[in-house]
Amino acid sequence: MEDKQRELGGKEKEEEHAKVEIWKYVFGFVKVAVVKCAIELGIADAIESHGSPMTLLELSSALRCDPSPLHRIMRVLVHLKIFKEKPATQLGPKVYAQTPLSKRLLKSGQNSMAALILLESSPVMLAPWHGLSARIQGNIRNPVFEEVHGEDLWSFGAANPDHNKLFNEAMACDARVNVPAVIESCLEVFKGIETVVDVGGGDGSTMRLLVEACPWIQGINFDLPHVVSLAQECDRIENVGGDMFDCVPKADAVIIKGVLHDWGDDECIRILKKCREAIPEDKGKVIIIEAVIDEKDEKGDIKLTNVRLMLDMVMMAHTNTGKERTLKEWGYVLGEAGFSRHTITPIDAVPSVIQAFP
Ligand SMILES: C[S@@+](CC[C@H](N)C(=O)[O-])C[C@H]1O[C@@H](n2cnc3c(N)ncnc32)[C@H](O)[C@@H]1O
């Protein structure tokens, strides 16, 4: 009897939870739209350059916009705890203040994630999501990005300089978050290495952070020619354009971050073989910075597991064959590419550090 009642109570609670929870999905896109709007208006930037919290009128005048809709946007951003509202006092009206989260909406700076948010919420990147079910049902001939845009992500970038620029700035956001986490947890990985080539290194952000932290390293930033053409010149870094399916420049070690997940197993094995050819057989290594999907969630870091699973969906929407891999799937591609052994080190970030030895 008691068990039955407990079961009924549990079901009622689940019902209650579902009644509220479902609205998250009905209006899930609104959060993204509002945050995108905040970045485009430059709300965080305005408060930052003002140097202290701002009233609605100060903010609307700095942003040159109508206070009434701005108030409604701020109301929801405060509700989402992106900005803080400090209540009105006798001395003055209420003010809006930054939080650690709103500082990530700044257009530049160490913690800025603005470009990544703008990329993922751009019409180019949003359009393929509408084809996800068709892809899963096999109702479209091409991968979804290609179906919508007529070419894959990389050719699209080559033909659309604005998209190329935004894409590389977005990847730089990821590098600013994840490369320091790699260096903090695994500095010893880079000891004794004189030269490193970053395969698919984008605008060179990863390599810049690496040579800064490891002054003994000379780096090569290697990517497609239209991508390295945007990379900054930097001491101890050579920017080299090319195709990783043809040849990878030689170095003591390869670093390859957020690249292999863009490709299916066959391409991944081809890229890894080229990386292996680039390093010395006896003391070389390939350092892979990628997510590892923990299907049983044994580490219990549920929040990062969510991000890794979301990233896997991003691969499905935006790449032809890409996917996030489990431990077993990483073992398979590394073995097929001819590596004799590998180690996987989880770090306090979305990706892990995988070292593969010839
Ligand atoms: C998801 S981005 C990762 C960028 C960077 N490694 C990071 O983590 O911020 C994948 C990179 O692979 C590069 N890429 C794609 N095809 C390539 C090819 N055939 N040869 C070299 N690089 C390529 C892209 O231009 C892009 O910069």
Side-chain angles (χ1 to χ4, degrees), residues 237-311:
I237 299 178
E238 187 189 354
N239 290 304
V240 176
D243 185 337
M244 64 191 169
F245 287 101
D246 292 340
C247 181
V248 166
K250 295 219 175 307
D252 292 342
V254 164
I255 184 165
I256 181 161
K257 171 182 167 295
V259 173
L260 296 170
H261 71 170
D262 295 331
W263 304 94
D265 288 353
D266 291 347
E267 293 123 330
C268 208
I269 293 162
R270 278 168 57 205
I271 300 165
L272 283 167
K273 282 185 176 166
K274 291 293 169 194
C275 293
R276 204 165 76 83
E277 285 168 20
I279 55 170
E281 185 76 24
D282 51 347
K283 59 183 173 64
K285 61 180 162 185
V286 176
I287 304 158
I288 301 163
I289 314 294
E290 288 275 5
V292 177
I293 297 282
D294 179 3
E295 279 175 332
K296 297 196 193 113
D297 204 19
E298 278 164 345
K299 284 202 289 116
D301 59 348
I302 185 76
K303 287 189 187 137
L304 291 184
T305 300
N306 283 350
V307 182
R308 294 178 191 120
L309 292 174
M310 300 286 163
L311 212 48

Side-chain angles (χ1 to χ4, degrees), residues 155-172:
S155 310
F156 186 88
N160 293 276
D162 288 348
H163 178 82
N164 182 36
K165 184 167 175 290
L166 179 58
F167 186 88
N168 292 306
E169 286 169 1
M171 295 306 111

